[in-house]
Structure formats: C-alpha cells, structure tokens
Amino acid sequence: MRNLSSPTRDQPMLPELGTPRKLLKLKGMFNSKFGSVPKFYVRAPGRVNIIGEHIDYCGYSVLPMAVEQDMLIAVEPVKTHILQLANTNPLYPYWVKKKMKITLSLPRRDFSTSANNIQIDKTKPLWHNYFLCGFKGIQEHFGLSDLTGMNCLVDGNIPPSSGLSSSSALVCCAGLVTLTVLGMNLSKVELAEICAKSEHYTGTEGGGMDQSISFLAEEGTAKLIEFSPLRATDVKLPSGAVFVIANSCVEMNKAATSHFNIRVMECRLAAKLLAKHKCLPWEEVLRLEEVQAKLGVSLEEMLLITEDTLHSEPYSPEEICRCLGISLQELKTQILSPNTQDVLTFKLYQRAKHVYSEAARVLQFKKICEEAPDNTVQLLGELMNQSHVSCRDMYECSCPELDQLVDICRKFGAQGSRLTGAGWGGCTVSIVPADKLSSFLANVHEAYYQRSNRSLVPEKQSLFATKPGGGALVFLEA
C-alpha cells in the first residue's frame, strides 16, 4: 500500500509510512461487505477551533488546527452508475427535527443512489447526505453528467455532533474521493472552497473554516485561515502548553435545528443595518466584514459604530423592514433563509458585538504567538476565556454543561478554556501548562465524567490532549 498525497497540484509526495493498522481493518470490512478489495482510501481530519467562533461566515479569520481523529473512506470504482455507501458504525446517529422536538434516530448503515441523480434532503441530516454533498460539489464544479459509480465504506473516530467537524470531514473526504475516481486535479484551496460551498446543500449556512483546515492543515502548526481570498498562515503554538479537548457529551447537530442559521441571519441583518446607517450599498452587503472593509476602519471602531447604531433590545421583522425600507415579503424571500423566515425576534447588537470582538481576539492571539513573551500562555488563556464569555453571553451558543466544563477546566489548571465549534453542546478546548497536564486530566475526568456519570463516549474521545495534525490524504493500494 502506498501512502500518497491527495490529487492536488500543490501537495508534495509523502514518504512511505507502511500500512496503518486501521486501513487493514477497514480493508477486511470492505471485503466482507462488497466481496472485493478497495482500490484506494481517503482520510480527512477533524479539527478543533482554538479561537474565532462563529466568525468565518462573517468573513473574518479563524485559528483552528487539525486533530488526529478523522474520517476514512475505502473506495472501489465500479462500472455501473450506482453509488453504494456503507458505514462501519451501525449506530451512527443523526438528529431529526420533528416540529419543535429533536429526536435521536438510528438509520440503516447502507445507502445507494444513482451517481447521476443526486438528491439531498435538507430536512434530514443523515450521514450519507454529507457524502453526497462532497460528491455533488465536484460533479457540479466540472459540469459532469455521466459519472461512474463506486462502492464506499465510511469509517471514522470523530465523535459526531461534538464540535470537532465530523460532518465537514466527511464532506471533504467525499470530495477527495470523487476527484480521485475522476482522475482530475484541483488545488487544496479549490477543494476547500468547493466543499465549503457544497455543504450548504444540507441547509446549513456555514463558513469555510472546517473544510479549509481539513485540506490545508500541516503537522506541527495551527493555521490562521483567512477568506476572500482563502489562504492559510502557520501559527506556532507555545511549546510550554498543551491544548486539551473535553467533550461535554451533549450532542448538537447544527443541521438539525435552526439555531445556527438564525445566528447567520442575525449577522447578515446586522451587517445590512450597519451599512444602511453608514449610507453604504446595503443591498450588496452580506457579511459584517464587508461593512468594515467598505468603511476602512479598525475592529475597535466597528465596535463603537455598533454601539451607536444598533440597540440591545431584540429587533422584530417589522422593525428591520422599517430600517431597511423593505416589505416583510422582501425580507423573507430576499434575505432570510427558508428555516429562519418565521423567527419573531433577532438580536443584532449582541451578535455584531461578538463577531467584531472575536475577530480582534483572533488577531491578538496570533500576534502573541509570534512575539512569544514570557507570559504567553497566560495571555492566550485570557483571550480564550474572553471568547467563551462572549460566546455564552453575546452569541448565546453555549449550554449549562459547557459552562460547567469550562469552569472545571479552569479550576484544575487551565489558563484558558472555551467552547469550540458551533456550540449548544459538543466540546471545550483548554490551554494547559505542560507540567500540569497529568493532574489536569485526572482531576477533570473525575469532576466532570465520573461524578456525573457522563462517560458516554470512549474515554480517549471524552478528554484528550491534542497537537496539530496533517490534512487530507489519499492512500493507494499497491
């Protein structure tokens, strides 16, 4: 088995690493399932966002790193036009929204469809829909209408709905699978942009952070991910600290509820009202970053403008229409997404305040890492703590369990701790002095998991130290 780079124009060949044990296991499971041997495997990592939450879709830079947990797909191209998808985990969950109740369901692990008639149901975030997103994204990018089929077996150890980007890793995996089967080439940046756009087929109006770090990650370094144009810059993390991920064991799939899309729309509406107030062409504005760029002012100045322009009381749709001089019908059909058209109130001031302050924290974090003062870990921890407070109070994307876990992590030695990912559940990330790591892990495990009987996921995935990992890869069978 040869371990090769992804079929991109900008990635060098990797050295021979031998046959990883998990690929041999996946090969055996593939053979049992399909009665044949996969021709290649694709890996895409999950990620932890160190700082910069809910600001990528507003146009601002974020600071994630890839983790060792990943999605793997074993692939065999076939002569038919049928996609045969299977999952090694028969209990892989998905969340179904039924009226106002979110229900955990356990679907069949297998799915098949025509490669030339991809249909993605936005109402059901089934695992195979994320594969279809990546497949369809590549198909549409090249304008192809007669694609070959394939047998695919999906495996992975990223806890689902944990804020570590299991869904986007699967989209990226599928995009790279499709590109490899077609024998075509794209840059890593092009792949990331295609996969970010195609994940919108699930109905989630996300940004491009998850897909970007999945392709652009490099071992040993975090990345500052910037947008328009997409680019990644190395950020060397302090050697005297370790980043620890802790799973709250509260699952939240952002595609299963409207929470995430409401935040996206609140930011969009805030951007339009700020632009209108400043006599900018607000109809063209979609992101808060665009307002800053058009005004040519600093983030600190944008915070002051937000204070002067927006009020802290929630806005009704009718008030927004009056501010913009549009009808309610125009608001619903031209600005709001389908699953936010019935929202009764929008908190524009709070969301804009979070975005502009969080964007500033990302730049401060990077600057501290570059300058590396003696109290680097303390300063970075303070920024992470500020980020969590803003996520909790201004963006309202935390939950009681995350807040409790953050408090426990700080109590037992973390210099900083915050929710990571979309929130409303999932994981925290903490910066811990390296010499305190052992006691930190033991104390947090006892305080949060053992006392509360929350060991619902494998221990390694509940609480673990992590370091920057590499990006997506293709492994070819010899």
Side-chain angles (χ1 to χ4, degrees):
M1 188 176 297
R2 290 178 294 151
N3 180 356
L4 300 181
S5 67
S6 60
T8 63
R9 295 192 296 265
D10 50 8
Q11 187 173 26
M13 296 285 287
L14 296 178
E16 177 70 44
L17 298 179
T19 304
R21 184 178 301 176
K22 61 182 177 180
L23 291 190
L24 285 176
K25 180 180 178 182
L26 187 58
K27 179 179 180 179
M29 297 175 76
F30 187 97
N31 183 258
S32 297
K33 177 67 184 176
F34 296 109
S36 54
V37 175
K39 294 297 185 288
F40 65 91
Y41 309 80
V42 169
R43 169 199 184 262
R47 63 97 187 96
V48 59
N49 190 23
I50 300 173
I51 195 164
E53 220 59 74
H54 285 281
I55 63 174
D56 57 339
Y57 54 77
C58 295
Y60 282 109
S61 305
V62 291
L63 213 157
M65 65 180 177
V67 295
E68 66 178 35
Q69 285 76 10
D70 56 20
M71 299 299 294
L72 279 172
I73 302 181
V75 187
E76 177 193 24
V78 295
K79 294 181 179 179
T80 68
H81 295 286
I82 301 299
L83 288 179
Q84 293 276 1
L85 308 178
N87 197 315
T88 62
N89 185 355
L91 302 182
Y92 199 90
Y94 72 99
W95 296 91
V96 178
K97 187 177 182 184
K98 298 178 179 178
K99 294 184 179 179
M100 295 305 292
K101 184 179 180 181
I102 306 300
T103 305
L104 179 65
S105 300
L106 300 175
R108 298 192 308 271
R109 72 168 88 176
D110 296 351
F111 174 81
S112 64
T113 188
S114 168
N116 299 312
N117 185 30
I118 300 299
Q119 303 292 325
I120 300 173
D121 186 350
K122 293 182 178 181
T123 67
K124 295 181 180 180
L126 300 158
W127 68 265
H128 62 253
N129 280 343
Y130 293 98
F131 183 99
L132 298 180
C133 283
F135 182 90
K136 186 175 182 179
I138 297 298
Q139 179 187 36
E140 292 187 345
H141 177 79
F142 288 106
L144 302 175
S145 58
D146 187 28
L147 274 74
T148 184
M150 59 182 93
N151 296 330
C152 296
L153 182 60
V154 176
D155 188 26
N157 58 358
I158 308 171
S161 303
S162 65
L164 301 180
S165 195
S166 59
S167 56
S168 295
L170 182 50
V171 174
C172 293
C173 241
L176 191 47
V177 163
T178 310
L179 189 69
T180 305
V181 168
L182 294 173
M184 295 182 173
N185 293 309
L186 289 171
S187 71
K188 290 184 283 187
V189 166
E190 288 171 322
L191 267 170
E193 291 177 331
I194 290 168
C195 289
K197 180 180 178 182
S198 66
E199 193 166 331
H200 289 182
Y201 293 133
T202 64
T204 302
E205 301 279 338
M209 170 179 63
D210 300 349
Q211 301 82 5
S212 299
I213 192 63
S214 194
F215 285 113
L216 301 175
E218 294 182 67
E219 210 165 316
T221 181
K223 294 283 187 177
L224 180 78
I225 305 290
E226 301 172 86
F227 304 96
S228 300
L230 176 60
R231 56 201 183 279
T233 305
D234 290 354
V235 177
K236 185 179 179 181
L237 300 173
S239 58
V242 179
F243 288 88
V244 178
I245 296 171
N247 194 337
S248 71
C249 299
V250 176
E251 291 191 347
M252 176 62 188
N253 187 314
K254 64 186 179 186
T257 72
S258 59
H259 296 324
F260 187 90
N261 278 358
I262 289 173
R263 296 301 184 276
V264 177
M265 291 303 117
E266 286 174 322
C267 291
R268 181 174 298 176
L269 291 169
K272 289 183 178 295
L273 263 65
L274 289 169
K276 180 73 179 292
H277 180 76
K278 288 294 184 179
C279 300
L280 298 173
W282 64 268
E283 297 93 343
E284 305 170 6
V285 171
L286 294 176
R287 296 183 292 272
L288 286 164
E289 185 277 336
E290 295 172 32
V291 181
Q292 182 196 0
K294 290 178 183 297
L295 292 176
V297 300
S298 67
L299 287 165
E300 290 72 25
E301 288 174 288
M302 284 309 307
L303 285 167
L304 294 175
I305 292 171
T306 299
E307 291 276 0
D308 293 339
T309 306
L310 303 176
H311 57 67
S312 59
E313 296 79 17
Y315 286 74
S316 67
E318 291 76 13
E319 183 180 5
I320 290 169
C321 289
R322 288 195 299 271
C323 291
L324 296 178
I326 59 175
S327 68
L328 193 59
Q329 182 66 15
E330 288 173 317
L331 174 66
K332 290 184 175 183
T333 59
Q334 297 178 19
I335 299 177
L336 298 179
S337 62
N339 65 347
T340 62
Q341 291 178 0
D342 296 325
V343 176
L344 299 178
T345 59
F346 298 93
K347 294 186 177 181
L348 308 190
Y349 168 84
Q350 292 86 345
R351 309 319 183 213
K353 286 275 287 186
H354 167 76
V355 169
Y356 288 130
S357 63
E358 185 79 346
R361 282 187 286 270
V362 170
L363 300 180
Q364 292 165 10
F365 195 101
K366 178 178 180 286
K367 183 179 179 183
I368 292 168
C369 287
E370 290 173 341
E371 295 177 350
D374 292 339
N375 60 341
T376 291
V377 177
Q378 176 191 339
L379 294 175
L380 297 181
E382 290 173 358
L383 289 173
M384 293 174 68
N385 290 336
Q386 293 168 17
S387 173
H388 183 77
V389 170
S390 185
C391 286
R392 181 192 68 200
D393 298 343
M394 303 304 285
Y395 222 71
E396 296 177 284
C397 61
S398 189
C399 67
E401 293 85 355
L402 281 172
D403 295 337
Q404 179 191 9
L405 186 52
V406 162
D407 290 341
I408 288 172
C409 289
R410 292 175 187 167
K411 176 182 178 181
F412 290 114
Q415 290 289 301
S417 186
R418 58 179 295 275
L419 67 83
T420 186
W424 299 287
C427 290
T428 63
V429 58
S430 302
I431 184 170
V432 180
D435 58 357
K436 294 183 179 180
L437 178 61
S438 296
S439 61
F440 173 84
L441 293 173
N443 288 328
V444 172
H445 187 268
E446 179 183 0
Y448 188 77
Y449 298 100
Q450 289 185 337
R451 292 181 186 176
S452 305
N453 193 30
R454 285 197 179 94
S455 297
L456 304 178
V457 292
E459 182 175 348
K460 183 179 179 183
Q461 295 179 356
S462 293
L463 179 68
F464 57 93
T466 190
K467 57 185 179 180
L473 293 171
V474 177
F475 300 83
L476 298 179
E477 275 288 335

